Coordinates of all heavy atoms in Angstrom, one line a residue:
M1 N -7.8 -17.7 -23.6 CA -7.7 -16.7 -22.5 C -6.5 -17.2 -21.6 O -6.5 -18.4 -21.2 CB -9.0 -16.6 -21.8 CG -8.9 -15.8 -20.5 SD -10.4 -15.3 -19.7 CE -11.2 -14.2 -21.0
P2 N -5.7 -16.3 -21.1 CA -4.7 -16.6 -20.1 C -5.2 -17.1 -18.8 O -6.3 -16.7 -18.4 CB -3.9 -15.3 -19.9 CG -4.5 -14.3 -20.8 CD -5.7 -14.8 -21.3
Q3 N -4.4 -18.1 -18.2 CA -4.8 -18.6 -16.9 C -4.0 -18.0 -15.9 O -2.7 -17.9 -16.2 CB -4.8 -20.2 -16.9 CG -5.6 -20.8 -17.8 CD -7.0 -20.7 -17.4 OE1 -7.4 -20.9 -16.3 NE2 -8.0 -20.4 -18.5
I4 N -4.5 -17.7 -14.7 CA -3.6 -17.2 -13.6 C -3.9 -18.0 -12.4 O -4.9 -18.6 -12.2 CB -3.9 -15.7 -13.4 CG1 -5.3 -15.4 -12.9 CG2 -3.5 -14.9 -14.5 CD1 -5.6 -14.1 -12.4
E5 N -2.9 -18.1 -11.6 CA -3.1 -18.8 -10.3 C -3.1 -17.8 -9.2 O -2.2 -16.8 -9.2 CB -1.9 -19.7 -10.0 CG -1.9 -20.9 -11.1 CD -0.8 -22.0 -10.8 OE1 -0.4 -22.0 -9.6 OE2 -0.4 -22.6 -11.8
L6 N -4.1 -17.9 -8.3 CA -4.1 -17.0 -7.1 C -3.8 -17.8 -5.9 O -4.4 -19.0 -5.7 CB -5.5 -16.3 -7.1 CG -6.0 -15.6 -8.3 CD1 -7.4 -15.2 -8.3 CD2 -4.9 -14.4 -8.6
D7 N -3.2 -17.2 -4.8 CA -3.1 -17.9 -3.6 C -4.4 -17.8 -2.9 O -5.3 -17.0 -3.1 CB -1.9 -17.4 -2.8 CG -2.0 -15.9 -2.4 OD1 -3.1 -15.4 -2.2 OD2 -1.0 -15.3 -2.2
E8 N -4.5 -18.6 -1.8 CA -5.8 -18.6 -1.0 C -6.2 -17.3 -0.4 O -7.3 -17.0 -0.4 CB -5.6 -19.7 0.1 CG -6.9 -20.0 0.7 CD -7.8 -20.8 -0.1 OE1 -7.4 -21.5 -1.0 OE2 -9.0 -20.6 0.1
E9 N -5.1 -16.5 0.1 CA -5.4 -15.3 0.6 C -6.1 -14.4 -0.3 O -7.1 -13.6 -0.1 CB -4.3 -14.7 1.2 CG -4.5 -13.3 1.9 CD -3.2 -12.6 2.6 OE1 -2.2 -13.4 2.5 OE2 -3.3 -11.5 2.8
T10 N -5.6 -14.3 -1.6 CA -6.2 -13.5 -2.6 C -7.6 -13.9 -2.9 O -8.5 -13.0 -3.1 CB -5.4 -13.6 -3.9 OG1 -4.1 -13.0 -3.6 CG2 -5.8 -12.6 -5.0
I11 N -7.9 -15.2 -3.0 CA -9.2 -15.7 -3.3 C -10.2 -15.3 -2.2 O -11.3 -14.8 -2.4 CB -9.2 -17.2 -3.5 CG1 -8.4 -17.5 -4.7 CG2 -10.6 -17.8 -3.6 CD1 -8.1 -18.9 -5.0
E12 N -9.6 -15.4 -0.9 CA -10.6 -14.9 0.2 C -10.9 -13.4 0.1 O -12.1 -13.1 0.4 CB -10.0 -15.3 1.5 CG -9.8 -16.8 1.8 CD -9.0 -17.1 3.0 OE1 -8.5 -16.1 3.6 OE2 -8.7 -18.3 3.3
R13 N -10.0 -12.6 -0.4 CA -10.2 -11.2 -0.4 C -11.2 -11.0 -1.5 O -12.1 -10.1 -1.4 CB -8.8 -10.5 -0.7 CG -7.9 -10.5 0.6 CD -6.7 -9.9 0.4 NE -6.8 -8.4 0.1 CZ -5.9 -7.6 -0.2 NH1 -4.6 -8.1 -0.4 NH2 -6.1 -6.4 -0.3
L14 N -11.0 -11.5 -2.7 CA -12.0 -11.4 -3.7 C -13.4 -11.9 -3.3 O -14.3 -11.2 -3.7 CB -11.5 -12.3 -5.0 CG -10.2 -11.8 -5.8 CD1 -9.9 -12.6 -6.8 CD2 -10.6 -10.3 -6.4
D15 N -13.4 -12.9 -2.6 CA -14.7 -13.5 -2.2 C -15.4 -12.4 -1.2 O -16.7 -12.3 -1.2 CB -14.6 -14.8 -1.5 CG -14.3 -16.0 -2.4 OD1 -14.7 -15.9 -3.6 OD2 -14.0 -17.0 -2.0
A16 N -14.6 -11.8 -0.4 CA -15.2 -10.9 0.5 C -15.8 -9.5 -0.2 O -16.6 -8.9 0.2 CB -14.0 -10.3 1.5
L17 N -15.2 -9.4 -1.4 CA -15.8 -8.1 -2.2 C -16.9 -8.4 -3.1 O -17.5 -7.5 -3.7 CB -14.6 -7.7 -3.1 CG -13.4 -7.0 -2.4 CD1 -12.2 -6.8 -3.3 CD2 -13.8 -5.9 -1.7
R18 N -17.0 -9.7 -3.3 CA -18.2 -10.1 -4.2 C -19.5 -9.8 -3.7 O -19.9 -9.8 -2.5 CB -18.2 -11.7 -4.6 CG -17.0 -12.1 -5.3 CD -16.8 -13.5 -5.4 NE -17.9 -14.2 -5.9 CZ -17.9 -15.5 -5.9 NH1 -16.9 -16.4 -5.4 NH2 -18.9 -16.2 -6.4
V19 N -20.5 -9.4 -4.7 CA -21.9 -8.9 -4.3 C -22.8 -9.8 -5.1 O -22.7 -10.0 -6.3 CB -22.0 -7.5 -4.7 CG1 -23.4 -7.0 -4.4 CG2 -21.0 -6.7 -3.8
D20 N -23.8 -10.3 -4.3 CA -24.9 -11.1 -5.1 C -24.5 -12.2 -6.0 O -24.8 -12.2 -7.2 CB -25.9 -10.1 -5.9 CG -26.5 -9.1 -5.0 OD1 -26.8 -9.5 -3.8 OD2 -26.8 -8.0 -5.4
D21 N -23.6 -13.0 -5.4 CA -23.1 -14.1 -6.2 C -22.4 -13.8 -7.6 O -22.4 -14.5 -8.4 CB -24.2 -15.2 -6.6 CG -24.9 -15.9 -5.4 OD1 -24.1 -16.1 -4.4 OD2 -26.1 -16.1 -5.4
E22 N -21.7 -12.7 -7.5 CA -20.9 -12.1 -8.7 C -19.8 -13.1 -8.9 O -19.2 -13.6 -8.0 CB -20.4 -10.7 -8.3 CG -19.7 -10.0 -9.2 CD -19.4 -8.6 -8.7 OE1 -18.9 -8.4 -7.5 OE2 -19.5 -7.6 -9.5
S23 N -19.5 -13.4 -10.1 CA -18.4 -14.3 -10.4 C -17.0 -13.5 -10.2 O -17.0 -12.3 -10.2 CB -18.5 -14.8 -11.9 OG -18.2 -13.8 -12.8
H24 N -15.9 -14.3 -10.1 CA -14.7 -13.7 -9.9 C -14.3 -12.9 -11.3 O -13.8 -11.8 -11.1 CB -13.5 -14.8 -9.8 CG -13.6 -15.4 -8.3 ND1 -13.4 -16.7 -8.2 CD2 -13.7 -14.7 -7.1 CE1 -13.5 -16.9 -6.9 NE2 -13.6 -15.7 -6.2
D25 N -14.8 -13.3 -12.4 CA -14.5 -12.5 -13.7 C -15.2 -11.2 -13.5 O -14.5 -10.2 -13.9 CB -15.0 -13.3 -14.9 CG -14.0 -14.5 -15.2 OD1 -12.9 -14.5 -14.9 OD2 -14.5 -15.4 -16.1
E26 N -16.5 -11.3 -13.2 CA -17.1 -10.0 -13.0 C -16.5 -8.9 -12.1 O -16.4 -7.9 -12.3 CB -18.6 -10.3 -12.6 CG -19.4 -10.9 -13.7 CD -20.8 -11.4 -13.2 OE1 -20.8 -11.8 -12.1 OE2 -21.7 -11.4 -14.1
L27 N -16.1 -9.5 -11.0 CA -15.4 -8.6 -9.9 C -14.1 -8.1 -10.4 O -13.8 -6.9 -10.2 CB -15.4 -9.6 -8.7 CG -14.6 -8.8 -7.6 CD1 -15.2 -7.4 -7.0 CD2 -14.3 -9.7 -6.4
I28 N -13.4 -9.0 -11.1 CA -12.1 -8.6 -11.5 C -12.3 -7.5 -12.6 O -11.6 -6.4 -12.7 CB -11.2 -9.7 -12.0 CG1 -10.8 -10.5 -10.8 CG2 -10.1 -9.2 -12.9 CD1 -10.2 -11.8 -11.0
N29 N -13.3 -7.6 -13.5 CA -13.4 -6.7 -14.5 C -13.9 -5.3 -13.9 O -13.5 -4.2 -14.3 CB -14.7 -7.1 -15.4 CG -14.1 -8.0 -16.7 OD1 -12.9 -7.8 -17.1 ND2 -14.7 -9.1 -16.9
E30 N -14.8 -5.4 -12.9 CA -15.2 -4.1 -12.1 C -13.9 -3.4 -11.6 O -13.8 -2.2 -11.6 CB -16.3 -4.6 -11.1 CG -16.8 -3.3 -10.3 CD -17.9 -3.6 -9.4 OE1 -18.4 -4.7 -9.4 OE2 -18.2 -2.8 -8.5
L31 N -13.0 -4.2 -10.8 CA -11.9 -3.6 -10.3 C -11.0 -2.9 -11.3 O -10.4 -1.9 -11.1 CB -11.2 -4.7 -9.5 CG -11.9 -5.3 -8.3 CD1 -11.0 -6.4 -7.7 CD2 -12.1 -4.2 -7.3
I32 N -10.9 -3.6 -12.5 CA -10.2 -3.0 -13.5 C -10.6 -1.7 -14.1 O -9.9 -0.7 -14.3 CB -9.9 -4.1 -14.7 CG1 -8.9 -5.2 -14.3 CG2 -9.3 -3.4 -16.1 CD1 -8.9 -6.4 -15.3
N33 N -12.1 -1.7 -14.2 CA -12.7 -0.6 -14.7 C -12.4 0.6 -13.6 O -12.3 1.7 -14.0 CB -14.2 -0.8 -14.8 CG -14.4 -1.6 -16.0 OD1 -13.6 -1.8 -17.0 ND2 -15.5 -2.2 -16.1
I34 N -12.5 0.3 -12.3 CA -12.4 1.3 -11.3 C -11.0 1.8 -11.4 O -10.6 3.0 -11.2 CB -12.6 0.7 -9.9 CG1 -14.1 0.5 -9.8 CG2 -12.1 1.6 -8.9 CD1 -14.4 -0.4 -8.5
Y35 N -9.9 1.0 -11.6 CA -8.5 1.3 -11.6 C -8.3 2.2 -12.9 O -7.7 3.2 -12.8 CB -7.7 0.0 -11.8 CG -6.3 0.4 -12.1 CD1 -5.4 0.8 -11.0 CD2 -5.7 0.2 -13.4 CE1 -4.0 1.1 -11.3 CE2 -4.4 0.5 -13.6 CZ -3.6 1.0 -12.6 OH -2.2 1.3 -12.9
E36 N -8.9 1.8 -14.0 CA -8.7 2.7 -15.4 C -9.3 4.1 -15.1 O -8.8 5.0 -15.6 CB -9.3 1.9 -16.4 CG -8.5 0.8 -16.9 CD -9.0 -0.1 -17.9 OE1 -10.3 0.0 -18.1 OE2 -8.4 -0.9 -18.6
T37 N -10.4 4.1 -14.4 CA -11.2 5.4 -14.3 C -10.3 6.3 -13.4 O -10.1 7.5 -13.6 CB -12.5 5.2 -13.6 OG1 -13.3 4.4 -14.6 CG2 -13.3 6.4 -13.4
S38 N -9.8 5.7 -12.3 CA -9.0 6.4 -11.3 C -7.7 6.9 -12.0 O -7.2 8.0 -12.0 CB -8.5 5.5 -10.2 OG -9.7 5.2 -9.4
E39 N -7.1 6.0 -12.9 CA -5.9 6.4 -13.6 C -6.2 7.5 -14.6 O -5.4 8.5 -14.7 CB -5.3 5.3 -14.5 CG -4.1 5.5 -14.9 CD -3.8 4.1 -15.8 OE1 -4.2 3.8 -16.9 OE2 -2.8 3.5 -15.2
Y40 N -7.4 7.5 -15.3 CA -7.7 8.5 -16.2 C -8.0 9.8 -15.4 O -7.4 10.9 -16.0 CB -8.9 8.1 -16.9 CG -9.6 9.1 -17.9 CD1 -9.0 9.2 -19.2 CD2 -10.7 9.9 -17.7 CE1 -9.4 10.1 -20.0 CE2 -11.0 10.8 -18.6 CZ -10.4 10.9 -19.9 OH -10.8 11.8 -20.8
T41 N -8.6 9.7 -14.3 CA -8.7 11.1 -13.6 C -7.6 11.6 -13.1 O -7.4 12.8 -13.2 CB -9.7 10.7 -12.3 OG1 -11.0 10.1 -12.8 CG2 -10.1 11.9 -11.6
L42 N -6.7 10.9 -12.6 CA -5.3 11.4 -12.2 C -4.6 11.8 -13.4 O -3.8 13.0 -13.2 CB -4.5 10.2 -11.4 CG -5.1 9.8 -10.2 CD1 -4.2 8.5 -9.6 CD2 -4.9 10.9 -9.1
F43 N -4.6 11.2 -14.5 CA -3.9 11.8 -15.7 C -4.4 13.2 -16.1 O -3.6 14.0 -16.4 CB -4.0 10.7 -16.8 CG -3.3 11.2 -18.0 CD1 -2.0 11.1 -18.1 CD2 -4.1 11.7 -19.1 CE1 -1.4 11.5 -19.3 CE2 -3.5 12.1 -20.3 CZ -2.2 12.0 -20.4
H44 N -5.7 13.4 -16.0 CA -6.2 14.7 -16.5 C -6.4 15.7 -15.4 O -6.9 16.9 -15.5 CB -7.6 14.4 -17.1 CG -7.5 13.7 -18.5 ND1 -7.1 14.4 -19.6 CD2 -7.8 12.5 -18.8 CE1 -7.0 13.5 -20.5 NE2 -7.4 12.4 -20.2
A45 N -6.0 15.3 -14.1 CA -6.1 16.3 -13.0 C -5.3 17.4 -13.2 O -5.4 18.5 -12.8 CB -5.7 15.5 -11.7
G46 N -4.0 17.2 -13.9 CA -3.1 18.3 -14.1 C -3.4 19.2 -15.0 O -2.7 20.2 -15.3
D47 N -4.4 19.0 -16.0 CA -4.8 19.8 -17.1 C -5.3 21.1 -16.5 O -6.1 21.2 -15.8 CB -5.7 19.1 -18.0 CG -5.1 18.0 -18.7 OD1 -3.8 18.0 -18.8 OD2 -5.8 17.2 -19.3

């Protein structure tokens, strides 16, 4: 799995979004899913 480095401000922002001791991996996966859903919705909005 690729490793990424995050600056302190990004980690603080991620920590502020975490719910019920959610891991960073879980949070990032959730954010990616939201992004993909939004992208899919925008793509099909023109149909």
Side-chain angles (χ1 to χ4, degrees):
M1 174 168 295
Q3 298 291 317
I4 59 170
E5 292 184 31
L6 303 173
D7 63 30
E8 190 64 32
E9 181 183 349
T10 302
I11 293 171
E12 289 172 4
R13 291 176 68 188
L14 287 171
D15 286 340
L17 294 171
R18 290 170 56 191
V19 177
D20 298 328
D21 296 325
E22 184 176 42
S23 73
H24 285 132
D25 283 343
E26 292 169 326
L27 175 60
I28 291 169
N29 279 322
E30 184 177 343
L31 292 172
I32 290 169
N33 289 337
I34 292 168
Y35 174 79
E36 288 175 339
T37 300
S38 297
E39 184 179 83
Y40 180 76
T41 302
L42 289 174
F43 178 73
H44 289 288
D47 289 348

